[in-house]
């Protein structure tokens, strides 16, 4: 059955439709060991919504001249890009590269605007990716409009927008005096919607003894959402801008797992010595904290939290251990038994594929509640990715960032004695 799907694809000549490496494309041996790790396969049971089915579809297009039609588009666009399959694959198939190439090809061949839904989606994507995300002032202005709409109860809860704060929006982050030991990268959407998490991250980094700098102009949108959507040319432009905003050799700390994963991949995205050097400076927030020489002054909070591993922290950055290392002195950590299965957030996926994302989230929430045990009703979940936090938050889950939990557990420093 599987051979029937795969075999015709590997016979044909390379068509060059998908910008993928042919060796990577044919590396899949169709063993199926990745299937239990795929959230869309788990909820649908469909081969075409599994990693193996998606690779077969890519091979059919690339090697056997199958069309870039609606069926192919659906097979590719329903992928959350969690890369759980990549982490599970014994043949080390780099699924992330393949799905990125497939999405890039689809972005270059947009489907005709056949109906109002399709037209609305194209307008929304242009508005988001081209107009707003690369222009930080416009994003902040749009956030003020959203804040007013939220106060008037015009924003549906299912969209997962966090409770926006006027105080937070009008109070910018403040860098320490130069030279910086380390940068904190605030990003675009996270800085507009969850700036208080950055304040907590700054507090923790200062408690660790660091002088923290912030990026100069252009250090906002990292291009992660663009890469996810196959808009690679735009992602490259944004990556160059971000790199120029943080010159020098200081580490770049990122408290969004999705952004951190994208920035660690700038070397591959741009393939320049500068991009490789920049990528080597990028650290997830918890990864950086865990690597500091001294111990943070933390008290035992006595509280329990359930750990949710964002896919881009666990499967891509492979830095999930650091979250546990930094939180363990202050919190009792509960683990899920689902092997880090995706929550269904996936960049703009939760908005675009709302029904599928909801089914995937239901499974995740069941795993989180099981892990919380007797605390399930007052469960607090820790997640290092703003997208996961919003997606789970939209279902009523109390989600905190590791920086929030650490800042809450910091022992206040002694005030200096006036007579000293
Ligand atoms: S585990 Fe790897 S080789 Fe096996 S089907 Fe999945 S992607 Fe292909
Ligand atoms: S990236 Fe995630 S959703 Fe996509 S095929 Fe792999 S496991 Fe499934």
């Amino acid at each position: 059955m599987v051979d029937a799907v795969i075999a015709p694809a590997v016979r044909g000549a390379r068509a060059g439709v998908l910008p993928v490496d042919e060796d990577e494309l044919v590396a899949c041996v169709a063993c199926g060991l990745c299937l239990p790790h795929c959230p869309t396969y788990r909820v649908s049971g469909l081969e075409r919504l599994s990693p193996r089915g998606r690779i077969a579809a890519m091979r059919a297009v690339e090697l056997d001249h199958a069309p870039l039609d609606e069926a192919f588009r659906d097979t590719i666009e329903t992928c959350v890009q969690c890369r759980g399959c990549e982490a599970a694959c014994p043949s080390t198939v780099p699924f992330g590269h393949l799905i990125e190439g497939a999405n890039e090809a689809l972005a270059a061949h947009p489907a005709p605007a056949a109906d109002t839904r399709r037209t609305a989606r194209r307008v929304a994507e242009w508005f988001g990716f081209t107009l707003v995300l690369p222009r930080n002032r416009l994003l902040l202005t749009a956030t003020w409009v959203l804040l007013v709409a939220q106060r008037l109860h015009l924003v549906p809860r299912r969209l997962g927008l966090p409770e926006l704060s006027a105080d937070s929006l009008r109070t910018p982050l403040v860098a320490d005096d130069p030279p910086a030991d380390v940068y904190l990268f605030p990003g675009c959407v996270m800085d507009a919607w969850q700036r208080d998490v950055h304040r907590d991250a700054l507090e923790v980094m200062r408690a660790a003894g660091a002088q923290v700098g912030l990026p100069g102009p252009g250090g906002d949108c990292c291009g992660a959402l663009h890469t996810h959507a196959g808009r690679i040319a735009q992602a490259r432009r944004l990556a160059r801008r971000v790199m120029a905003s943080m010159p020098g050799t200081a580490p770049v700390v990122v408290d969004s797992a999705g952004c951190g994963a994208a920035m660690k991949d700038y070397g591959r995205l741009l393939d320049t010595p500068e991009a490789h050097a920049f990528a080597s400076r990028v650290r997830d927030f918890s990864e950086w904290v865990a690597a500091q020489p001294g111990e943070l002054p933390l008290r035992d909070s006595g509280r329990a939290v359930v750990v949710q591993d964002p896919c881009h922290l666990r499967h891509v950055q492979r830095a999930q251990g650091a979250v546990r290392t930094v939180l363990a002195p202050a919190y009792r950590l509960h683990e899920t038994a689902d092997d880090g299965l995706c929550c269904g957030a996936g960049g703009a996926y939760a908005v675009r594929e709302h029904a599928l994302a909801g089914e995937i989230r239901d499974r995740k929430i069941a795993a989180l509640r099981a892990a919380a045990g007797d605390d399930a009703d007052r469960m607090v979940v820790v997640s290092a990715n703003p997208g996961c936090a919003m997606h789970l938050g939209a279902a009523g889950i109390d989600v905190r960032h590791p920086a929030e939990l650490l800042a809450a557990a910091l022992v206040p420093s002694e005030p200096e004695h006036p007579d000293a």
Side-chain angles (χ1 to χ4, degrees):
M1 172 70 187
V2 169
D3 286 344
V5 176
I6 304 285
V10 294
R11 280 199 310 267
R14 180 178 169 79
V17 177
L18 306 180
V20 296
D21 182 314
E22 188 171 326
D23 290 340
E24 294 183 348
L25 186 60
V26 299
C28 172
V29 296
C31 65
L33 290 174
C34 54
L35 268 59
H37 301 270
C38 174
T40 56
Y41 179 75
R42 290 284 288 270
V43 298
S44 72
L46 298 173
E47 173 73 17
R48 73 177 185 86
L49 299 192
S50 76
R52 184 173 61 188
R54 291 186 170 111
I55 291 171
M58 289 183 223
R59 285 182 179 184
V61 165
E62 181 65 9
L63 304 172
D64 234 20
H65 312 292
L68 276 179
D69 58 9
E70 281 303 287
F72 180 72
R73 186 177 295 279
D74 187 62
T75 294
I76 298 303
E77 290 188 346
T78 48
C79 171
V80 200
Q81 299 186 52
C82 67
R83 292 167 66 174
C85 51
E86 186 173 314
C89 176
S91 304
T92 63
V93 174
F95 188 84
H97 298 175
L98 301 177
I99 196 76
E100 212 176 85
N103 273 305
E104 187 179 354
L106 289 172
H109 297 89
D115 53 33
T116 11
R117 198 173 141 266
R118 177 82 68 191
T119 308
R121 180 176 154 181
R122 282 172 64 171
V123 171
E125 286 181 349
W126 176 83
F127 186 78
F129 290 121
T130 305
L131 192 66
V132 179
L133 287 176
R135 293 175 178 81
N136 200 246
R137 279 174 194 269
L138 195 53
L139 173 62
L140 293 174
T141 305
T143 301
W144 279 106
V145 174
L146 271 176
L147 187 148
V148 173
Q150 199 174 49
R151 296 293 180 277
L152 296 172
H153 305 287
L154 298 175
V155 182
R157 186 175 166 75
R158 70 179 173 81
L159 294 183
L161 189 71
E163 186 70 30
L164 298 173
S165 154
D167 278 350
S168 185
L169 256 177
R170 67 167 80 92
T171 313
L173 301 174
V174 180
D176 293 325
D177 292 334
D181 302 321
V182 57
Y183 286 101
L184 176 68
F185 176 73
C188 52
V189 177
M190 190 173 174
D191 188 46
W193 297 1
Q194 300 180 359
R195 191 177 289 165
D196 286 343
V197 172
H198 296 323
R199 284 187 229 287
D200 287 334
L202 280 171
E203 187 181 346
V204 173
M205 292 167 76
R206 285 169 182 150
Q211 296 267 113
V212 190
L214 294 167
D220 37 75
C221 183
C222 69
L225 291 171
H226 298 78
T227 302
H228 208 263
R231 295 170 174 261
I232 303 300
Q234 285 178 324
R236 289 195 177 111
R237 278 197 292 278
L238 292 167
R240 287 191 200 98
R241 213 174 67 168
V242 164
M243 285 163 45
S245 75
M246 289 176 279
T249 57
V252 175
V253 168
V254 186
D255 53 8
S256 154
C259 303
M263 291 165 69
K264 284 182 177 181
D265 202 32
Y266 278 179
R268 193 178 69 87
L269 181 70
L270 296 173
D271 200 19
T272 62
E274 296 77 20
H276 285 286
F278 183 89
S280 71
R281 294 164 54 199
V282 178
R283 302 279 183 281
D284 175 71
F285 166 76
S286 297
E287 198 179 20
W288 181 85
V289 173
Q292 297 315 293
E295 282 187 13
L296 277 177
L298 294 174
R299 63 182 171 80
D300 184 350
S301 71
R303 291 169 58 196
V305 292
V306 185
V307 185
Q308 183 262 354
D309 286 329
C311 297
H312 284 80
L313 194 71
R314 181 177 175 125
H315 304 313
V316 185
Q317 298 194 53
R318 313 215 170 182
Q320 73 276 18
V323 173
R324 289 150 176 86
T325 303
V326 299
L327 290 177
Y331 295 90
R332 277 181 291 119
L333 305 179
H334 290 289
E335 300 285 347
T336 57
D338 63 353
D339 221 5
L341 200 66
C342 176
C343 72
Y349 186 87
V351 179
R352 209 186 61 221
E353 303 289 342
H354 188 65
L356 210 43
E359 286 181 60
I360 295 169
R361 179 175 59 194
D362 289 347
R363 276 178 174 259
K364 187 77 209 182
I365 291 176
L368 293 167
R369 286 198 193 288
D374 293 343
D375 293 330
D377 290 340
R378 50 184 186 282
M379 169 174 77
V380 173
V381 172
V382 60
S383 175
N385 193 49
C388 306
M390 285 190 259
H391 188 49
L392 293 169
I397 304 297
D398 184 355
V399 187
R400 313 287 172 86
H401 191 280
E404 288 180 274
L405 294 178
L406 286 179
L410 280 176
V411 176
S413 53
E414 294 284 326
E416 282 181 27
H417 198 285
D419 300 328

